[in-house]
Amino acid sequence: MFVLASKVFSILLGAIVIAKSYVDFRSRLESLHMFLFWTLTWLLIIIVALFPGLVDLLLSAFGRERAGLGTFFGMAIVFLFFVVYRIYVKIEGMQQELTRTIQELALRDQWTANHRPEKRTLTPGAKPV
Amino acid sequence: MKSAPEQQKLVTVVIPAHNEAAAIGDVISRIPKTIERMQVVVIVVDDGSTDDTAQIARVFGAQVLRHVTNLGAGAATVTGLKAAQALNADVIVTIDADGQHDPEEIERLVQCLLEGPFDVVIGSRILSPQGMPLTRFVANLLLNALTFVAYRKIVSDSQSGFKVFSQAAANALDLRSAGYEICSEIIGEIYRKNLRYKSVPVKPIYTEYSRAKGQHFLNGVNLILGLLTRWVRHT
């Protein structure tokens, strides 16, 4: 029962991600590269969920070492953490860019010229606004 | 031959504000108009408010800068510091918009900076904790400890938004934080840039409003994550 539920769960999630990715691709919110990457990744996940025996076949192809599904999923978790880290770094970078852009917007249009209480000369070397 | 008249020195008071329409007017109106014969200019950085914070601030005579979207208290403070630097301000004060600090204490802190002389004066609620809720007191002590771990500098109130900077100190600061962790980052910059500083007791004012507007538990978690991120980057 649990095995069946896990299969249905994987297929459902995979279908949602692939459908969303396709819609985003058609709306030009997602590049072709990302659409292909996520579609292939989730197709692979669905295949492994439906036919877990394939993993044993794959692992046995690497030699006579004792390795099972646990090893495979361990590697998968490590890979996922790597992906999460990359996403985190990217979001952090984008957030900093966004912050700088909005700050520049706020300070733009000769704000200081219009709002200074009296004519003051900026000292040489003062940070540009 | 007549010498050119000496230019009046300038104190700018930077107030980062997000949805503070209920309190911002009172805070601005209580800021002294002159300090030690220096002109005082109030800069409110409206951090993407959805209420009338900006309009009310203008009515009360503040110069208003506006972030088109909410970035966080840290980013708003940095914007205000940049604006003050562009005005060539001689002294820069930062103060919270929620009425948690008494604006009438600005004069005392500025005097302390000038008489020290110091580069930074920190208004410390911990040195005068009467009226401070115990949970806030303990939380601040924990964040002081975390700031020490991240930046090797212990101060009595690392999370105080009430600070006074000299022009040189403001120019020296290199701040990257967008959120509340900027308070700790400033402490780190004081340490890195070897700035002279002093903690001065200030009266904490905790009303129902300021308690509701203050840092929440989730902000605390964000703050810890932000500090850890910056700590990892700096080590």
Side-chain angles (χ1 to χ4, degrees):
Chain A
M1 186 65 187
F2 181 70
V3 174
L4 179 68
S6 71
K7 284 180 181 181
V8 172
F9 181 67
S10 304
I11 292 168
L12 203 67
L13 275 186
I16 290 170
V17 172
I18 291 170
K20 174 78 171 71
S21 187
Y22 179 68
V23 169
D24 285 351
F25 170 64
R26 288 298 300 267
S27 315
R28 296 185 177 183
L29 293 171
E30 195 172 290
S31 68
L32 177 66
H33 289 97
M34 289 316 290
F35 168 63
L36 290 176
F37 172 75
W38 287 118
T39 304
L40 290 175
T41 303
W42 278 94
L43 281 177
L44 205 66
I45 290 169
I46 291 170
I47 290 168
V48 169
L50 289 176
F51 311 105
L54 286 174
V55 177
D56 287 333
L57 280 175
L58 188 73
L59 290 172
S60 63
F62 285 104
R64 293 178 185 172
E65 287 176 67
R66 283 175 63 94
L69 273 177
T71 313
F72 175 77
F73 284 113
M75 283 169 62
I77 288 171
V78 169
F79 175 70
L80 284 178
F81 268 101
F82 173 74
V83 172
V84 168
Y85 170 74
R86 290 285 305 154
I87 291 170
Y88 169 77
V89 169
K90 204 147 196 166
I91 288 175
E92 176 81 5
M94 286 170 68
Q95 197 172 17
Q96 287 191 7
E97 285 297 316
L98 183 71
T99 299
R100 270 195 291 274
T101 306
I102 291 172
Q103 286 176 327
E104 287 298 319
L105 273 176
L107 290 160
R108 212 175 239 197
D109 300 331
Q110 295 182 319
W111 179 85
T112 49
N114 296 330
H115 294 78
R116 69 186 55 155
E118 59 180 301
K119 198 75 180 170
R120 293 175 72 91
T121 314
L122 289 175
T123 50
K127 286 189 177 179
V129 178
Chain B
M1 193 174 134
K2 264 188 176 178
S3 60
E6 197 182 333
Q7 196 173 41
Q8 191 181 21
K9 288 192 168 184
L10 182 67
V11 178
T12 55
V13 180
V14 172
I15 311 178
H18 174 64
N19 290 342
E20 298 285 4
I24 192 82
D26 182 53
V27 171
I28 296 170
S29 65
R30 288 167 55 214
I31 293 171
K33 302 290 177 277
T34 57
I35 297 173
E36 301 269 309
R37 285 185 293 176
M38 292 190 286
Q39 187 179 1
V40 176
V41 170
V42 180
I43 298 172
V44 170
V45 182
D46 175 19
D47 191 25
S49 297
T50 51
D51 64 6
D52 295 333
T53 299
Q55 292 90 320
I56 292 171
R58 279 195 195 97
V59 167
F60 279 85
Q63 318 283 0
V64 178
L65 286 166
R66 181 166 163 75
H67 286 169
V68 291
T69 188
N70 180 242
L71 295 176
T77 304
V78 171
T79 303
L81 289 175
K82 282 183 180 175
Q85 284 172 293
L87 285 176
N88 202 17
D90 302 282
V91 176
I92 303 170
V93 181
T94 61
I95 190 167
D96 288 356
D98 60 4
Q100 196 189 120
H101 308 123
D102 183 358
E104 285 154 21
E105 290 191 302
I106 290 175
E107 187 159 8
R108 188 165 56 83
L109 267 65
V110 172
Q111 281 168 348
C112 177
L113 182 99
L114 299 174
E115 286 165 9
F118 296 104
D119 299 307
V120 184
V121 170
I122 303 168
S124 171
R125 297 159 298 180
I126 302 290
L127 293 177
S128 173
Q130 293 86 2
M132 194 174 189
L134 184 64
T135 49
R136 291 288 169 102
F137 184 79
V138 173
N140 276 338
L141 290 183
L142 287 174
L143 289 167
N144 285 351
L146 198 67
T147 303
F148 175 72
V149 170
Y151 296 115
R152 314 278 195 278
K153 189 83 186 170
I154 192 86
V155 295
S156 63
D157 190 356
S158 63
Q159 303 308 303
S160 172
F162 196 1
K163 296 189 183 79
V164 181
F165 302 93
S166 67
Q167 189 182 55
N171 288 337
L173 296 176
D174 177 19
L175 302 170
R176 310 278 173 91
S177 300
Y180 281 110
E181 65 270 23
I182 195 164
C183 293
S184 298
E185 196 184 13
I186 289 172
I187 304 303
E189 284 293 283
I190 290 172
Y191 171 65
R192 266 196 292 275
K193 306 288 161 61
N194 207 17
L195 301 176
R196 299 163 298 176
Y197 77 98
K198 186 177 185 183
S199 291
V200 172
V202 292
K203 181 175 59 183
I205 304 168
Y206 281 96
T207 59
E208 214 167 281
Y209 177 80
S210 70
R211 287 185 75 165
K213 292 292 294 185
Q215 292 195 29
H216 298 285
F217 173 72
L218 278 178
N219 286 337
V221 174
N222 283 339
L223 195 150
I224 290 167
L225 287 174
L227 276 180
L228 287 174
T229 308
R230 266 144 199 90
W231 180 61
V232 168
R233 282 186 175 171
H234 281 116
T235 49

